[in-house]
Structures are given as structure tokens and as C-alpha cells.
Amino acid sequence: MTLEEKLAQLYGLWAGASHDGAEVAPHQHDMDEPPTLDELLPHGLGQLTRPFGTVPVDPALGALSLMRTQERIVAANRFGIPAMAHDECLAGFAAWGATTYPVPLSWGAAFDPALVEEMARAIGHDMRSVGVHQGLAPVLDVVRDARWGRVEETIGEDPYLVGTTAVAYIKGLESAGIVATLKHFVGYSASRGGRNLAPVGMGPRERADVMLPPFEMAVRESGVRSVMHAYTDTDGVPCAADADLLTGLLRDTWGFTGTVVADYFGIAFLASLHGVAADAGEAAAAALTAGVDVELPTVKTFGAPLRDLVSSGQVPEAVVDRAVRRVLTQKEALGLLDPDWSPVPSALAHVDPRVPGATDRLRGTVSLDRPEHRDISRRLAERSVILLSNQGALPLGRPRRIALVGPQADTPTAVLGCYSFPVHVGSQHPGTPVGIELPTLREALAAEFPDSEVVTVAGSDIDTPDTSGFARAVAAASEADVVVVALGDRAGLFGRGTSGEGCDAESLALPGVQHHLLDALLDTGKPVVVTLLAGRPYALGRATHEAAAIVQAFFPGQEGAGAVAGVLGGRINPSGRLPVSVPRLAGAQPSTYLAAPLAMAGDVSSIDPTPAFGFGHGLTYTTFAWSDLDTGGDGDRTPPVATDGEVALAFTVRNTGERAGDEVVQLYLRDPVASVVQPVQRLIGYVRVALDPGRSARIGVTVPADLASFTGRDGRRVVEPGRLELRLAASSTDVRFTAAVTLTGPPRHVDHTRELHARFTVTRT
């Protein structure tokens, strides 16, 4: 291959993207006018960017257009190499008419990796059926500050929950033949002040013990084939130019063999935002040398600027060859280099797309929103709804009149996150049909309570200061038997919403005047059920204690309104658990549970960061009793175990209520004395247990000592001898049993081959 042909495999082309505004990517307005496809064709092309996620397009016609583009690419380059097509798939395939699923924060709330894997498999099959090869998901960033706009895209504030859930998603996507992409590697969510694309100031130990474990788990266990670098710099080193991270750790230590792709425009940002490169050529050289293989979304630095540096000998061609080899190896694994490769995707197999008139015959023939996929979206939404508090008001029973108040009451997109197609792209094309059914909470409540009168009043907007609707809202509440107040976020991008990429919050008070609306409704004396459709947790002030009930849903997808209504009515027994802590004070940030003792409340500060509801919390409509802890030792103490050994515990959980329900058993580790400061506790395992009324399960858990490891003072991961606590809990704030463990023997250093999981057994009796 010539140098130009090699370089062509290392960049993408974003056809149809606007250059006059940052619509779906940061600094999109800075994008140069890219070459046309015809200009690039003689040398080939590595990637096609977002063929379905740029403008609304009928799925069948999008597949036909992609097929014809691939035919042109193959015919024009000497080796007949197709391009890889990638698209977004964070809350479902980001294509017009595709099923929208709950956002990743709801995946975490479900504490159900198997269901997440099922969802991802469905997403992957839809993508593959229309000719897409790579999906830009999942997000493995661990929440450190809930003011960050992209909290909705994360799985939660605990690295173990993030890692296990992400691994399940990746396995599902990859099983469908789609290359999953880990993002954002690494530290993006730890930006100062919770601001998007801001510097990161964390130390190497926080990076190693909080931010990196989900990525390490995914590389080791999921079969993931691509990683996307983060935009940010950590302590002055941008991730896109960090060879120690992208090559030393990712490849040399963890053994990753796939491709590293740039976050959109991230290589150019080395010059334009970070100032570690003087121009596009220097930026390309820094990124390629560090280990970035593919420039996305379109050619800017890996084209002529990089070619000139290689031609002049300033960048060794061997570095180009390394990246090309990785790209072509991936294309070969996808079958793109097979002699009999066909550009016709399976979705078009029912009709010859090459005959005249194919466009008219194909329109409307491909469905990306099948009933079986909506069923998955529904089940995940139902499992992710969290009952935060309940003063006996829920289930609602048969109220004569329900006042449904709030800006989320009758808004179809209230259940969607910023990477769902109707919000991410559709919002930029007013007048275009949504493409899927999006029942509102009003419609869902009317269906759930057919004998009740549902009076709906907005009361306020999401984020404006207008209070003119308060009087009507209060009047409706005063005449109702119960008030359901629907509050939360509007998903959007770069300030066009209150949650989403670039929609960071100054505080965790509800946006706009929603908090004041809530207080006005509480003042009526009527029972107020707070229902939140949001992308992050919010402090609720007096409602934390005065509301009749609080129901939290994190953008639960197109079936989400029905899921929330089902919980309110009792058809669904809530079983979601908090993947992030809910703050008590709007300004006491950050408030993640995964923090050192000095981060907790004390008498030396006037700020109490104690959350209103802690990580892992969630109520149900039944009750569970935990009993009969067996530590294998004396009382609550286990026999001593070596630093390379393991601990076995067993206990019983019984459903003592009157209806079937799920208990989410959580296992936390506390290390009270260590050579470096440790968090008060951290999650090291969990299992969801479904039980009918009166039934019980004997739960066993084996805990390898490796799970007590942390990064020591010398930068190596170590298991230290000493006393530990294993906490079996219903949440981080509801510990049911504590088992004392003593590790014996010398300190033991471990590496990336260590054990990562506790092993649970569930025997129903």
C-alpha cells in the first residue's frame, strides 16, 4: 500500500454534517469543509461516520444509501476495501424510528447485567441489519460530581457497578457482530467543577482505583474491540497524547489488541484546546505515536498534515503501519476483506436493491422498533424505577381525582436522554415525525387509572423563571385526592437542555422554578407524590421528608411512562436501586458515597454532605427479612484467611410481605486501617434475588482476598494483612450483617490478572 492508501484507512468521513453550528459534537462549527467522497475514493476510506445518526432517514433508504456508498468505495480503491460504518448506540441505535431504551444511569439502577446484555444484543442486531459495524458505546466513566451534564450517560458512581454492567452491554453488542467502543478513556467524568471537557486534577491513585477498574474489567472480560480516548487532560497530559495510557497500560499491560479511536475532533484539540501541539500535523503525530489509530469523525489531521510529516521523515512510517495493521485486522474479523463480501445488508435481502425503482419499494419496509425490542425496553424501564420514599401513599389505589402537575406531565420526550435519536438529532429537524410511539405520563396515568379523573397542569417550564402557572397548579391540587408532581430535566446538547453533553449544572437544585412549584404543592396539605424524570439526582429540600412518596426514574426510554405509572398504581413492584447518591443539599458537592472519611460529615465544617438517599437505596411494596448469617467462624468473625485466600459467607433472605418482589443484595468492603486512605466502604459484589411471598433463599458468597487490593504508596496494587469488614447490605446506608475478617501473612502484590469478583450462589427454599 502507498502511504496515502495507508493513511486513508486511519480516518473517517462525516458526510452530511453541518459546519455552521455545534449540533451534535463539540466544536462541530470548527470542522473544516471535508473532502468529498469522490476526492477520497482513489485511496480508500477507513470509516463512514454516522450514516443513520446525522439526519433523519427512513431505515430502509438509509441502508440502501450506505450500501451504494460502500459499493463506490470498494470499486474505487485498488484493494476493494470497504469502510467501517459507525453510529451512536448509547440509549438504543441512534437512528430514526429505532427503539429507544433507558439511558445507562437506568441500566445501573436496574442492577441487572443479564437484562442489559439482552438489550445490547437487540441494539446490535438492528445496527448490523442495516450495515453498521461499530457502536460508540458504552460509557464507563464513574460519576464523581453529579453536576456534570453527562451523568445520564454513565452507569453510576461505583466502579464495580459500572464495570459489571458495561461488560454485559459489550457482550451483547459484540455477540451481534458490532464492535463496541469503550469511552471515555479515562477520567472524563472527574473534571473540575463538574464542567464538560474541563481539566482533570485527580491523582494517580484515584485514577487507578476509581476510574480505571471498569475499563480493565471490560478489556479482560468482554471481548471489546475498540476504545475511545477522553477529551480531557489529567494533570496536564491530554489523554489523546498519553502513550503511557494508550499504549503502556492499555496494550502492553492489559493486552488490548483492538483499535483506539479518537473522540470527535479530539486529535485536533491537542492544538486548538490543549496547546500541546502547534498545528494539525504535530497533533496527528502526538496522537498516532501515543496509540490513537483512527481519527473521527472526519479527516482533518491524519490526512495531508500527517502525510507531510511522514514523507519528510519526522514521523516514522512504521507508526502508521502499526495503526493500519490494527484497522485491517479488525476489518478482516468483520468479514470486510473476504473475497465474497457483499455490501447488501440483511435488512435489504428481501428485495433486489439494485433494480430501478428500489427506493420506492423499500421505503417503510425496515422496522427498527419491533415489539420484542419494545418489550426489552419496557422490562428494563420497569426494573430501573426507584421508590425513594413512601409514607404509605403508594400504591395509589383508586383515587377519584388525580392532579398531575409539572413540566414533565405531558411532554413526550420527558423519558428520553440526550443520545436518543429524537433528542440528539430529531430536535434539530422540527416538523419531522418522532418515528416511535412516545406516550406521555398523562397518557400512561389515564391508562393505569381508567376510573380516575386525571387533571393535568404544567405549572411551570423546565428551566424558565416563569411562575404564572403556579396558581392554576395549586388550584388543581387543592381539588384532587392526590397530587402527582412530574419534575426533572430536558435532555439536550451544549446548553440546549438541563441534562446531557455540555448541559452542566451550577448546583443540584431542580432546574428553573420547579423547586418552588414543588413547595407550593406541598403547602396545599394534599398528599404529594414526587415523580422525577431526570438525567441526574437532585436535592428535593423539604419534599425529602414531607412528600407522600418519591419515585425516581432516570430517562427510562420510550416505555418509561408506562413503567412509572405502573409503579404508582402498584401493577409493578418497584425494584430499582440508586446508582448515584441523591444529595440532601443542592450545593454540597461532590457527594459520591465512594469517598474517604474526611469527606463525610464532621464538626469541623458547617457543610454536611450526607446524602438524602444513599447509593444502592430503593424501596419495594413487600418486605424482606435477613437472617442466619454463617461466617464459618465464631459469631460474626470469619476464620483468619491468608492474603491470597478467600472468605465464605452464607445467610438467608425471606420475603415476609404479601407480594412477589426482588431484593438486591449488595456486598461492601470496609478497610479501616490501611497504608493509604481508603473510602469508607466500596461495593465489591451484588445479586438480584426474586422471591414469591413467604419464600426464602439461602445466599452464599465467596470473597477472594484480591478484592481488598488497592494502589499502595509505591504505585503497585497490594493486598495488605489486617482487619477488614464485609458488609452485607440492602444499600450503602442499610447494612444488615457485618462480618469481621482478618487477613494474615505478608503484603501481597497483585496485578491485572487478579480476581475481580465475589462469587454468589442462590438456593431457593
Side-chain angles (χ1 to χ4, degrees):
M1 300 177 76
T2 65
L3 176 59
E4 287 79 6
E5 289 169 332
K6 293 176 185 178
L7 293 176
Q9 294 299 314
L10 305 186
Y11 52 69
L13 178 66
W14 195 2
S18 169
H19 302 180
D20 57 7
E23 293 182 354
V24 299
H27 290 256
Q28 185 179 330
H29 58 281
D30 291 338
M31 183 170 68
D32 297 331
E33 187 74 38
T36 65
L37 182 60
D38 286 335
E39 291 172 322
L40 296 175
L41 283 180
H43 302 304
L45 184 64
Q47 286 264 355
L48 285 167
T49 292
R50 297 175 64 146
F52 292 86
T54 300
V55 296
V57 60
D58 176 272
L61 301 188
L64 178 63
S65 175
L66 177 57
M67 182 204 78
R68 289 172 173 168
T69 299
Q70 290 281 36
E71 288 178 330
R72 291 175 61 196
I73 293 170
V74 168
N77 74 84
R78 285 195 304 148
F79 301 100
I81 302 173
M84 282 180 63
H86 75 262
D87 247 301
E88 301 285 357
C89 56
L90 193 68
F93 180 20
W96 185 85
T99 303
T100 65
Y101 297 86
V103 298
L105 201 57
S106 277
W107 312 349
F111 275 77
D112 192 345
L115 185 52
V116 171
E117 182 173 348
E118 185 181 356
M119 173 197 68
R121 186 177 299 112
I123 294 170
H125 280 305
D126 278 346
M127 298 177 78
R128 201 75 173 100
S129 73
V130 293
V132 176
H133 307 103
Q134 182 170 359
L136 302 187
V139 169
L140 278 71
D141 295 302
V142 179
V143 175
R144 302 301 278 170
D145 187 332
R147 294 174 297 179
W148 191 51
R150 304 189 78 167
V151 167
E152 64 173 72
E153 299 179 45
T154 75
I155 295 166
E157 70 183 23
D158 181 86
Y160 188 78
L161 178 64
V162 171
T164 50
T165 306
V167 164
Y169 178 91
I170 296 160
K171 286 181 176 179
L173 203 67
E174 291 276 357
S175 72
I178 295 294
V179 175
T181 308
L182 307 184
K183 60 186 195 181
H184 308 89
F185 194 58
V186 63
Y188 190 22
S189 58
S191 58
R192 294 188 180 115
R195 294 181 60 247
N196 189 53
L197 222 169
V200 172
M202 65 182 171
R205 192 165 290 102
E206 181 181 357
R207 190 187 215 193
D209 289 351
V210 177
M211 309 307 293
L212 285 172
F215 290 92
E216 179 185 5
M217 188 183 295
V219 170
R220 285 182 56 180
E221 298 180 353
S222 70
V224 68
R225 288 182 283 178
S226 190
V227 172
M228 176 181 283
H229 75 73
Y231 282 135
T232 46
D233 70 82
T234 299
D235 196 24
V237 180
C239 294
D242 191 343
D244 291 337
L245 178 69
L246 300 181
T247 298
L249 180 64
L250 179 63
R251 297 189 183 278
D252 297 343
T253 300
W254 292 351
F256 178 70
T257 59
T259 56
V260 173
V261 302
D263 204 346
Y264 284 13
F265 310 115
I267 298 175
F269 288 171
L270 294 175
S272 61
L273 297 184
H274 294 294
V276 297
D279 52 34
E282 286 190 10
L288 183 69
T289 303
V292 179
D293 301 309
V294 179
E295 180 180 24
L296 299 180
T298 201
V299 56
K300 185 178 181 74
T301 69
F302 273 17
L306 181 57
R307 180 199 62 207
D308 293 344
L309 290 180
V310 175
S311 298
S312 67
Q314 297 177 68
V315 174
E317 191 164 350
V319 182
V320 175
D321 293 345
R322 181 182 68 177
V324 173
R325 189 174 294 109
R326 293 167 182 161
V327 169
L328 294 181
T329 298
Q330 196 161 89
K331 288 189 174 185
E332 185 205 15
L334 290 166
L336 299 181
L337 304 188
D338 293 349
D340 59 350
W341 175 79
S342 170
V344 182
S346 61
L348 303 185
H350 62 288
V351 63
D352 186 351
R354 296 181 176 85
V355 300
T359 298
D360 293 335
R361 290 197 302 276
L362 282 172
R363 188 186 303 274
T365 64
V366 173
S367 173
L368 298 177
D369 187 29
R370 293 189 292 277
E372 58 270 29
H373 291 182
R374 292 196 297 273
D375 180 66
I376 296 171
S377 183
R378 175 190 60 78
R379 286 186 282 127
L380 185 54
E382 291 175 354
R383 290 204 168 194
S384 67
V385 176
I386 307 158
L387 180 59
L388 294 182
S389 71
N390 187 14
Q391 308 303 323
L394 297 182
L396 285 178
R398 298 176 179 270
R400 179 183 59 86
R401 177 178 292 174
I402 301 172
L404 176 60
V405 178
Q408 300 289 59
D410 203 21
T411 303
T413 55
V415 292
L416 300 184
C418 79
Y419 267 80
S420 65
F421 186 89
V423 172
H424 200 71
V425 178
S427 61
Q428 304 301 307
H429 299 271
T432 301
V434 175
I436 55 175
E437 293 185 12
L438 279 177
T440 66
L441 187 57
R442 176 187 63 78
E443 293 167 333
L445 276 181
E448 198 72 33
F449 298 93
D451 299 325
S452 301
E453 179 186 4
V454 179
V455 178
T456 305
V457 180
S460 76
D461 298 321
I462 289 288
D463 58 348
T464 71
D466 183 10
T467 61
S468 61
F470 280 23
R472 186 168 172 238
V474 168
S478 299
E479 297 173 356
D481 299 303
V482 65
V483 181
V484 175
V485 55
L487 308 173
D489 280 313
R490 181 182 68 254
L493 288 165
F494 312 120
R496 298 195 293 269
T498 61
S499 174
E501 184 173 358
C503 298
D504 310 315
E506 294 181 4
S507 80
L508 293 182
L510 283 162
V513 294
Q514 293 182 76
H515 178 82
H516 301 293
L517 174 63
L518 177 55
D519 284 350
L521 295 172
L522 291 171
D523 287 340
T524 66
K526 293 289 184 174
V528 175
V529 175
V530 180
T531 303
L532 297 159
L533 295 168
R536 62 163 65 84
Y538 284 106
L540 299 177
R542 53 187 276 216
T544 301
H545 304 291
E546 296 182 25
I550 303 173
V551 174
Q552 173 76 67
F554 294 113
F555 290 144
Q558 70 187 74
E559 301 292 327
V564 171
V567 166
L568 296 178
R571 175 174 54 85
I572 299 166
N573 190 355
S575 61
R577 302 293 188 267
L578 279 174
V580 286
S581 303
V582 173
R584 187 173 58 86
L585 302 175
Q589 285 300 301
S591 60
T592 170
Y593 97 101
L594 194 68
L598 285 180
M600 305 300 147
D603 56 7
V604 296
S605 173
S606 58
I607 296 176
D608 182 355
T610 304
F613 304 100
F615 173 85
H617 170 77
L619 305 177
T620 75
Y621 294 150
T622 190
T623 55
F624 296 95
W626 297 36
S627 63
D628 302 323
L629 174 67
D630 181 4
T631 64
D634 182 14
D636 62 358
R637 294 183 177 276
T638 69
V641 61
T643 53
D644 62 352
E646 57 187 27
V647 176
L649 306 173
F651 60 101
T652 297
V653 173
R654 181 179 179 83
N655 184 341
T656 55
E658 298 180 351
R659 63 181 294 173
D662 288 10
E663 180 71 299
V664 178
V665 172
Q666 300 163 44
L667 175 64
Y668 294 88
L669 183 142
R670 171 170 164 76
D671 188 348
V673 179
S675 58
V676 299
V677 175
Q678 293 296 291
V680 171
Q681 60 183 345
R682 55 186 173 90
L683 185 73
I684 60 171
Y686 61 90
V687 63
R688 177 183 271 266
V689 182
L691 291 172
D692 290 330
R695 301 304 298 270
S696 62
R698 189 67 177 169
I699 300 172
V701 57
T702 301
V703 185
D706 285 11
L707 301 190
S709 68
F710 58 86
T711 302
R713 294 193 179 195
D714 61 359
R716 294 187 295 170
R717 184 169 289 274
V718 64
V719 180
E720 293 184 342
R723 184 171 63 89
L724 303 173
E725 293 178 5
L726 294 177
R727 298 176 168 184
L728 294 159
S731 77
S732 63
T733 55
D734 185 6
V735 176
R736 303 298 175 87
F737 298 121
T738 298
V741 180
T742 300
L743 297 184
T744 61
R748 172 172 161 261
H749 288 101
V750 296
D751 58 17
H752 61 284
T753 63
R754 69 191 183 283
E755 294 276 355
L756 297 178
H757 303 284
R759 303 186 297 276
F760 285 89
T761 60
V762 179
T763 305
R764 288 174 175 82
T765 57

